[in-house]
Amino acid sequence: MAKITPLFSLKNLLVVSLALNVSLIWRAMHESEKCNFDSSFSLQQQRRSVMAGCVLKEKEHVSERTHLSLSSSPSPSPSSSLTSTDIQSQDGGERIINVDHGDPTMYEKYWQKAGDKTTIVIPGWQSLSYFSDVRNLCWFLEPEFAKEVVRLHKVVGNAITENHHIVVGTGSTQLFQAALYALSSQDASEPISVVSAAPYYSSYPSITDCVKSRLYKWAGDAKRFNKDGPYIELVTSPNNPDGSVRQSVVNRSGGILVHDLAYYWPQYTSITYPADHDLMLFTVSKSTGHAGTRIGWALVKDMEVAKKMTKYIELNTIGVSKDSQLRAAKVLKVVSDSCKPSGSEDECFFEFTNHQMSTRWKQLRMAVQKSGLFSVPELPSQFCTFLGRAFEPQPGNSSVNAFHVTFL
Amino acid sequence: MAKITPLFSLKNLLVVSLALNVSLIWRAMHESEKCNFDSSFSLQQQRRSVMAGCVLKEKEHVSERTHLSLSSSPSPSPSSSLTSTDIQSQDGGERIINVDHGDPTMYEKYWQKAGDKTTIVIPGWQSLSYFSDVRNLCWFLEPEFAKEVVRLHKVVGNAITENHHIVVGTGSTQLFQAALYALSSQDASEPISVVSAAPYYSSYPSITDCVKSRLYKWAGDAKRFNKDGPYIELVTSPNNPDGSVRQSVVNRSGGILVHDLAYYWPQYTSITYPADHDLMLFTVSKSTGHAGTRIGWALVKDMEVAKKMTKYIELNTIGVSKDSQLRAAKVLKVVSDSCKPSGSEDECFFEFTNHQMSTRWKQLRMAVQKSGLFSVPELPSQFCTFLGRAFEPQPGNSSVNAFHVTFL
């Protein structure tokens, strides 16, 4: 820490350092204890961070009473500090800027401008049944939602839906567990190893080992994985937390890949090819910002795998909220409509959100540069087939993790 | 089978018998293999039974081309043949009356009559956030839904909400798993036993052992449970499948009780006291018929247990659909309003649905009596503090299980 600007006093550096320690201790505990419960921390984090803000927008206000909270929270989602909008004032006027995770409420502006187009009206007598489409392998999948998923992927060009089955889930988190269930063997003598190249989404271990399944088990960094036998590798691309474009790293026989493509949308990264993997996960939370709906979807090539994923969701929650599926269908439709090649009365959703992310990243880079405390990794610019221009990745996820160890 | 009426030919009896065999074989396999996957069966069942009907309403049409399907399906829910409305015509004109499970669509009539009162309008910019109420232990619980849960229990008098925390879930199925997670110990040397007095809801074993947790394990009939050490006993009252009013049967130290009160509503059974147990599960599917919303709730006395249940749902699905919670809040409000002591312009929801169930049970008893093949158990009449009159239990669940072994 050679260079310290007047922006931070020593007192504040100490606070940052202590917060980092707490974070690292927690992370170490978390690694060993996996899903052991620490509710007080979690709840406190939630309370502190729900309105947590974006360091960049508020950089003018950073004073000696403002400090960063770098704690790694076990709470909500692979979401993003860069998709949050607010900053929380604590008792006594201290400001906590939590850049660990966020909430995609920044897209609210777009949806407010869109007005009634995405308003959904559900009469009390609708959607009483458990069933959505009994002719479909995934019997709780609303046909309208499935249709809009297919259309949106076609419009954006980020995934092939042909020859894939769609399985809807209560967010992609449930689908991730459904995939583990579907890809593991009921008869195996030991749990199948689940790996992902570090740095990986911090909740993967907790989710995988939550109920200590004998079917699957978290086995850490894919780059260090050298155990014989079958394994499941999670390929998160763009990656959470660092936004890098990824491919499988283990590359051995017996491996099964799950592609978490939650952030493979044009506001975060360049669309370079239509993904055509065996099992791909997506979520409305990241694509349109509707985290409260808890809707995700999987594109699955193998019919038996899709059936087993459906079975898991049947046993876990007997299907997925119809109301939210119908709402998500309407939202996806409006997104596709807004990006029609022939033009639309609305601004294309991805142009708007790409611009939002771009602005925020510029501000973050400026603030980080001024602080002299951190560096932000430079990621290569790529041509986006959807937006028709090249841009650097602008991850929406917990970007602090990408630079919190890079002290200058 | 001493008496055979002309209603059934020998050929049809054979079909019934074969179906029963399939059911029993499947059940035996199911017991041993627990949650092993049999998607073809499941899907077939779903396809066949989605529009499955009520034997009673259609009894006039029972002919030599109609047969009962008694197979025990692993698919949707502890729901009811007596809450389904339709009958499915197969290719070739054969009718399959599946009385194994159903769909609460019969309440649709009430909700249609209620008109716009329960219509919900959600603008596209609403409910983007993951969070519902950060001041609440259950941070994804919509305050409006919590308020209406408390009010409805007060109106009906079926449960005490004071000194209980409310945890919302994606149906009570997810809350059941959250309870198992919360009540088991992370450090135990072996999984805690999970038991319930037979006959129990046929999906309990599959759900409990779905991912072969090392935290908890299905241990079968509570009446035969004689293992030392801690255990979790599920007390389902009224019981699924037989509608009986139940209490704990193990009664040993180290036992933790989970009360599944999904059917403790005045359309199914007399409300005799406000339940005040440590952990009680309820669901909108059974109380109002809105199965498609996938909303359930738990009333939990111990704060640490409620926190751990919240933690499970956070890891499992990062919360619960806001859209469905808001919709459920509106539906519960209309139910409470319709049953106001001062009277309402609408018929009290529970009067209407109690009458529907009563009519169907009368028809079922008549049909069963005429067939001479089965008997339906007589359950004692009790005074209902809510409806102000005595009536016999009229279970909404898979009542066929209650009499399928009672051949005359």
Side-chain angles (χ1 to χ4, degrees):
Chain A
M1 284 188 237
K3 197 177 157 191
I4 299 166
T5 73
L7 203 62
F8 286 85
S9 71
L10 281 173
K11 188 179 153 196
N12 282 315
L13 282 177
L14 181 66
V15 173
V16 171
S17 169
L18 287 173
L20 190 60
N21 284 335
V22 171
S23 163
L24 294 170
I25 290 166
W26 181 85
R27 196 167 280 228
M29 284 167 63
H30 192 62
E31 273 298 309
S32 63
E33 294 175 24
K34 297 284 159 38
C35 154
N36 285 356
F37 183 59
D38 182 1
S39 65
S40 57
F41 182 82
S42 167
L43 191 65
Q44 198 182 7
Q45 280 301 109
Q46 285 151 17
R47 284 182 180 167
R48 270 200 288 148
S49 62
V50 61
M51 296 296 282
C54 181
V55 66
L56 10 160
K57 278 196 80 176
E58 302 291 335
K59 72 184 168 60
E60 304 84 350
H61 309 296
V62 173
S63 73
E64 63 173 308
R65 304 192 72 180
T66 306
H67 59 261
L68 292 162
S69 167
L70 295 174
S71 320
S72 178
S73 160
S75 63
S77 122
S79 183
S80 162
S81 58
L82 291 187
T83 49
S84 288
T85 46
D86 299 304
I87 189 162
Q88 195 179 31
S89 193
Q90 297 285 293
D91 290 343
E94 269 199 337
R95 284 166 179 276
I96 301 279
I97 305 173
N98 186 314
V99 280
D100 171 64
H101 72 262
D103 213 14
T105 49
M106 66 181 272
Y107 299 157
E108 198 174 280
K109 281 179 198 163
Y110 184 87
W111 298 116
Q112 274 173 337
K113 276 172 71 182
D116 286 344
K117 288 190 192 75
T118 45
T119 298
I120 189 154
V121 179
I122 310 176
W125 46 265
Q126 229 184 48
S127 306
L128 291 175
S129 171
Y130 286 97
F131 301 91
S132 291
D133 182 3
V134 286
R135 295 160 306 176
N136 196 310
L137 173 153
C138 182
W139 53 266
F140 47 79
L141 171 64
E142 284 291 315
E144 197 58 27
F145 176 68
K147 187 182 125 194
E148 296 302 335
V149 161
V150 170
R151 184 178 168 217
L152 185 61
H153 282 304
K154 204 159 200 153
V155 166
V156 176
N158 63 340
I160 300 286
T161 54
E162 288 82 10
N163 301 319
H164 284 82
H165 300 276
I166 300 174
V167 180
V168 66
T170 311
S172 61
T173 301
Q174 187 182 38
L175 289 161
F176 164 54
Q177 291 156 89
L180 296 185
Y181 170 79
L183 298 172
S184 58
S185 164
Q186 292 279 336
D187 310 316
S189 56
E190 61 174 328
I192 190 168
S193 297
V194 182
V195 297
S196 188
Y200 43 74
Y201 168 35
S202 59
S203 291
Y204 278 153
S206 332
I207 296 168
T208 307
D209 289 343
C210 176
V211 297
K212 297 189 174 178
S213 172
R214 277 178 282 132
L215 301 180
Y216 44 79
K217 188 180 161 72
W218 183 251
D221 187 358
K223 284 177 281 191
R224 296 178 182 199
F225 181 68
N226 55 12
K227 202 178 154 194
D228 283 335
Y231 63 91
I232 295 169
E233 181 180 349
L234 302 167
V235 182
T236 310
S237 185
N239 189 43
N240 176 357
D242 64 6
S244 62
V245 174
R246 288 189 154 192
Q247 290 183 320
S248 157
V249 301
V250 183
N251 200 18
R252 274 215 321 265
S253 66
I256 312 170
L257 303 184
V258 173
H259 280 81
D260 184 344
L261 305 184
Y263 292 101
Y264 192 40
W265 296 100
Q267 65 266 55
Y268 308 114
T269 198
S270 292
I271 303 304
T272 54
Y273 75 111
D276 190 21
H277 309 293
D278 287 348
L279 204 165
M280 303 183 276
L281 304 179
F282 292 93
T283 166
V284 167
S285 312
K286 306 304 175 296
S287 50
T288 73
H290 290 79
T293 62
R294 310 306 314 116
I295 294 293
W297 67 96
L299 301 179
V300 188
K301 269 191 190 160
D302 187 287
M303 191 172 76
E304 291 308 313
V305 172
K307 279 182 184 172
K308 284 185 78 175
M309 288 179 71
T310 300
K311 186 72 194 172
Y312 174 85
I313 295 171
E314 181 185 311
L315 287 168
N316 191 217
T317 53
I318 319 183
V320 174
S321 162
K322 283 188 175 188
D323 313 312
S324 285
Q325 285 190 68
L326 294 174
R327 192 168 174 226
K330 202 150 196 176
V331 167
L332 296 191
K333 184 182 184 302
V334 171
V335 170
S336 291
D337 285 349
S338 78
C339 302
K340 276 192 289 205
S342 56
S344 159
E345 61 188 67
D346 297 312
E347 185 181 357
C348 167
F349 173 78
F350 295 114
E351 284 285 3
F352 180 93
T353 51
N354 179 283
H355 182 70
Q356 268 191 311
M357 294 301 297
S358 167
T359 306
R360 290 185 169 213
W361 267 96
K362 273 182 199 143
Q363 289 174 315
L364 174 67
R365 286 185 190 280
M366 273 172 59
V368 164
Q369 202 176 5
K370 270 195 183 172
S371 81
L373 286 170
F374 306 105
S375 75
V376 181
E378 300 289 332
L379 291 165
S381 176
Q382 282 196 294
F383 184 79
C384 176
T385 54
F386 176 74
L387 293 177
R389 62 174 183 267
F391 64 93
E392 285 174 34
Q394 36 197 47
N397 34 292
S398 313
S399 47
V400 67
N401 292 318
F403 65 93
H404 78 265
V405 291
T406 320
F407 288 101
L408 293 179
Chain B
M1 282 189 239
K3 196 178 158 191
I4 300 167
T5 72
L7 204 62
F8 286 85
S9 72
L10 280 173
K11 188 177 153 196
N12 282 315
L13 281 176
L14 181 64
V15 173
V16 171
S17 169
L18 287 173
L20 191 60
N21 284 335
V22 170
S23 162
L24 294 171
I25 290 166
W26 181 85
R27 196 167 280 228
M29 283 167 63
H30 191 63
E31 274 298 309
S32 62
E33 295 175 25
K34 296 285 159 34
C35 150
N36 286 356
F37 182 60
D38 182 1
S39 65
S40 57
F41 182 81
S42 166
L43 191 65
Q44 198 183 7
Q45 279 301 109
Q46 285 150 19
R47 286 182 178 164
R48 269 201 286 147
S49 62
V50 62
M51 298 296 281
C54 182
V55 65
L56 11 159
K57 278 198 81 176
E58 302 291 335
K59 71 185 170 57
E60 303 84 352
H61 309 297
V62 173
S63 72
E64 63 173 306
R65 303 193 70 181
T66 306
H67 58 261
L68 292 162
S69 168
L70 296 173
S71 320
S72 178
S73 161
S75 63
S77 121
S79 183
S80 162
S81 59
L82 290 187
T83 49
S84 290
T85 46
D86 299 306
I87 188 161
Q88 194 179 32
S89 192
Q90 297 285 294
D91 289 343
E94 270 198 336
R95 283 166 178 276
I96 302 280
I97 305 174
N98 186 315
V99 281
D100 172 63
H101 72 262
D103 213 14
T105 49
M106 66 181 271
Y107 300 157
E108 199 174 280
K109 281 179 198 162
Y110 184 87
W111 297 115
Q112 274 173 337
K113 276 173 69 182
D116 287 345
K117 288 190 191 76
T118 45
T119 298
I120 189 154
V121 179
I122 310 177
W125 46 265
Q126 229 183 49
S127 306
L128 290 175
S129 171
Y130 286 97
F131 301 92
S132 291
D133 182 3
V134 286
R135 295 159 306 174
N136 196 310
L137 173 153
C138 182
W139 54 266
F140 47 79
L141 170 64
E142 284 290 315
E144 197 58 27
F145 177 68
K147 186 182 126 193
E148 294 303 334
V149 161
V150 169
R151 183 177 169 219
L152 185 62
H153 282 303
K154 203 159 199 152
V155 165
V156 176
N158 63 340
I160 300 286
T161 55
E162 288 83 8
N163 301 319
H164 284 83
H165 301 276
I166 300 174
V167 180
V168 66
T170 312
S172 61
T173 301
Q174 186 182 40
L175 289 161
F176 164 55
Q177 291 158 88
L180 296 185
Y181 170 78
L183 299 173
S184 58
S185 163
Q186 292 280 334
D187 310 317
S189 56
E190 61 174 327
I192 191 168
S193 297
V194 182
V195 297
S196 188
Y200 44 73
Y201 168 36
S202 60
S203 290
Y204 279 153
S206 332
I207 297 168
T208 307
D209 289 342
C210 175
V211 297
K212 297 189 174 179
S213 172
R214 277 178 280 131
L215 301 180
Y216 44 80
K217 189 180 161 71
W218 182 251
D221 187 358
K223 283 177 280 190
R224 295 178 182 199
F225 181 67
N226 54 12
K227 203 177 154 195
D228 284 336
Y231 63 92
I232 296 169
E233 181 180 350
L234 302 167
V235 182
T236 311
S237 185
N239 190 43
N240 176 357
D242 64 6
S244 62
V245 174
R246 287 189 154 191
Q247 291 183 318
S248 158
V249 301
V250 183
N251 201 18
R252 274 215 320 264
S253 65
I256 312 171
L257 304 184
V258 173
H259 281 81
D260 184 343
L261 305 185
Y263 292 101
Y264 192 42
W265 296 100
Q267 66 266 55
Y268 307 114
T269 197
S270 293
I271 303 303
T272 54
Y273 74 111
D276 190 21
H277 308 292
D278 287 348
L279 204 165
M280 302 182 275
L281 304 179
F282 292 93
T283 167
V284 167
S285 312
K286 306 305 176 294
S287 49
T288 73
H290 290 80
T293 62
R294 311 306 313 119
I295 294 292
W297 67 95
L299 302 178
V300 189
K301 269 191 190 160
D302 187 288
M303 190 171 76
E304 292 307 314
V305 172
K307 280 182 183 173
K308 284 186 77 175
M309 289 180 70
T310 300
K311 185 74 193 170
Y312 174 85
I313 295 170
E314 181 184 311
L315 288 168
N316 192 216
T317 53
I318 319 183
V320 174
S321 162
K322 283 188 175 188
D323 313 312
S324 286
Q325 285 189 68
L326 293 174
R327 192 169 174 226
K330 200 150 197 175
V331 167
L332 296 191
K333 183 182 184 303
V334 170
V335 170
S336 290
D337 285 350
S338 78
C339 301
K340 278 191 289 206
S342 55
S344 159
E345 60 189 69
D346 296 313
E347 185 181 357
C348 168
F349 173 78
F350 295 113
E351 285 284 4
F352 181 92
T353 51
N354 179 284
H355 181 71
Q356 268 190 311
M357 293 303 296
S358 166
T359 305
R360 289 186 170 214
W361 268 96
K362 272 182 199 145
Q363 289 174 315
L364 174 67
R365 286 184 191 280
M366 273 172 59
V368 164
Q369 202 176 7
K370 269 193 182 174
S371 81
L373 286 169
F374 306 105
S375 75
V376 181
E378 300 288 332
L379 291 164
S381 176
Q382 282 195 293
F383 184 80
C384 176
T385 54
F386 176 74
L387 293 177
R389 62 176 184 266
F391 64 93
E392 284 175 34
Q394 35 197 47
N397 34 292
S398 311
S399 46
V400 66
N401 292 317
F403 64 93
H404 78 264
V405 290
T406 320
F407 287 101
L408 291 180

